[in-house]
C-alpha cells in the first residue's frame, strides 16, 4: 500500500471547497475560517504510517524466522513485537485526546502541532530503542517520557477546557 496521488488531489479539492472529505456527504461540520482543519489529521496519518512500519517489520521477521504465533524464542522478533505492541497501546489513546483537543476547544493550532510532534518523536525514539537487540535504554526512557508528557498535558488541557472547572 503506497502513496496514491488521487487521494492527495481529492483532499486538495475538498480543501479548496472549504470542506473535509466527509462534508461532501453532509456528515461533518464546516472547517475553520482558514479552510484548513488538518492539524491533528496530519499527525494521525503519520502515526498510523509509523504503526504500519512497525507491523511490517514484525511480519517480515515472522516470515524470516518462520514463526506464526509468539516469538519462537527469537530475541529480534520479540523486540519487534514489543515495539509494535507498545505503539498500539499508547498511540490510539493519544491521538484520540489530540483530536478531541482540536475539535472541542479553541487552543491554537501550534499547540496541537507541538503536542502531536512530541508524540510522534517520542514514539519513534521509543520504537528505535526497544527494537534494538542490545536495547538502548536512554532512547526508550526518552520516548516514554515524551509520550506520557503528551498524554498528561493533553488530558489536563481537556479538563481545563471542559465545563467542570
Amino acid at each position: 500500500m503506497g502513496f496514491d496521488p488521487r487521494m492527495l488531489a481529492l483532499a486538495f479539492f475538498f480543501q479548496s471547497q472549504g470542506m473535509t472529505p466527509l462534508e461532501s456527504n453532509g456528515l461533518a461540520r464546516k472547517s475553520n475560517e482558514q479552510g484548513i482543519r488538518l492539524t491533528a489529521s496530519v499527525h494521525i496519518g503519520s502515526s498510523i504510517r509509523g504503526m504500519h512500519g512497525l507491523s511490517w517489520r514484525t511480519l517480515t521477521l515472522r516470515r524470516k524466522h518462520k514463526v506464526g504465533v509468539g516469538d519462537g524464542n527469537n530475541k529480534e522478533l520479540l523486540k519487534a513485537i514489543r515495539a509494535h505492541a507498545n505503539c498500539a497501546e499508547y498511540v490510539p489513546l493519544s491521538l484520540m485526546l489530540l483530536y478531541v483537543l482540536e475539535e472541542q476547544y479553541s487552543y491554537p493550532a501550534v499547540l496541537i502541532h507541538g503536542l502531536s510532534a512530541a508524540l510522534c518523536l517520542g514514539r519513534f525514539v521509543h520504537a528505535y530503542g526497544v527494537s534494538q537487540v542490545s536495547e538502548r535504554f536512554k532512547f526508550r526512557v526518552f520516548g516514554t517520557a515524551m509520550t506520557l508528557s503528551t498524554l498528561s498535558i493533553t488530558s489536563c488541557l481537556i479538563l481545563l477546557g471542559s465545563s467542570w472547572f
Side-chain angles (χ1 to χ4, degrees), residues 8-164:
L8 184 60
L10 190 61
F12 281 125
F13 168 75
F14 285 122
Q15 183 180 354
S16 71
Q17 302 301 311
M19 301 184 299
T20 63
L22 289 178
E23 289 171 345
S24 63
N25 296 326
L27 298 176
R29 66 177 175 81
K30 286 283 184 190
S31 56
N32 64 17
E33 297 78 38
Q34 294 84 16
I36 300 172
R37 221 180 59 185
L38 300 174
T39 309
S41 302
V42 168
H43 297 286
I44 289 170
S46 61
S47 295
I48 298 304
R49 294 299 291 171
M51 288 180 72
H52 179 259
L54 291 171
S55 177
W56 189 255
R57 183 170 185 267
T58 302
L59 290 171
T60 302
L61 289 172
R62 284 188 182 283
R63 287 184 188 145
K64 176 182 172 184
H65 298 294
K66 297 180 179 15
V67 177
V69 177
D71 60 25
N73 292 324
N74 183 293
K75 191 157 180 116
E76 182 183 24
L77 179 56
L78 174 64
K79 293 289 192 170
I81 291 169
R82 283 310 311 147
H84 178 245
N86 198 279
C87 188
E89 291 164 1
Y90 283 100
V91 168
L93 175 63
S94 300
L95 292 175
M96 182 182 68
L97 290 174
L98 287 164
Y99 183 76
V100 167
L101 191 66
E102 179 181 28
E103 290 297 309
Q104 297 296 320
Y105 306 102
S106 59
Y107 291 110
V110 70
L111 177 66
I112 308 296
H113 276 301
L115 290 167
S116 298
L119 173 68
C120 289
L121 176 67
R123 290 290 81 205
F124 177 78
V125 170
H126 183 273
Y128 174 76
V130 169
S131 63
Q132 303 301 307
V133 175
S134 59
E135 188 172 319
R136 306 228 168 112
F137 198 67
K138 64 182 175 183
F139 291 105
R140 186 174 181 183
V141 169
F142 177 79
T144 301
M146 293 292 284
T147 302
L148 294 179
S149 296
T150 302
L151 276 170
S152 179
I153 292 168
T154 306
S155 61
C156 286
L157 288 172
I158 289 171
L159 287 172
L160 289 172
S162 70
S163 61
W164 288 84

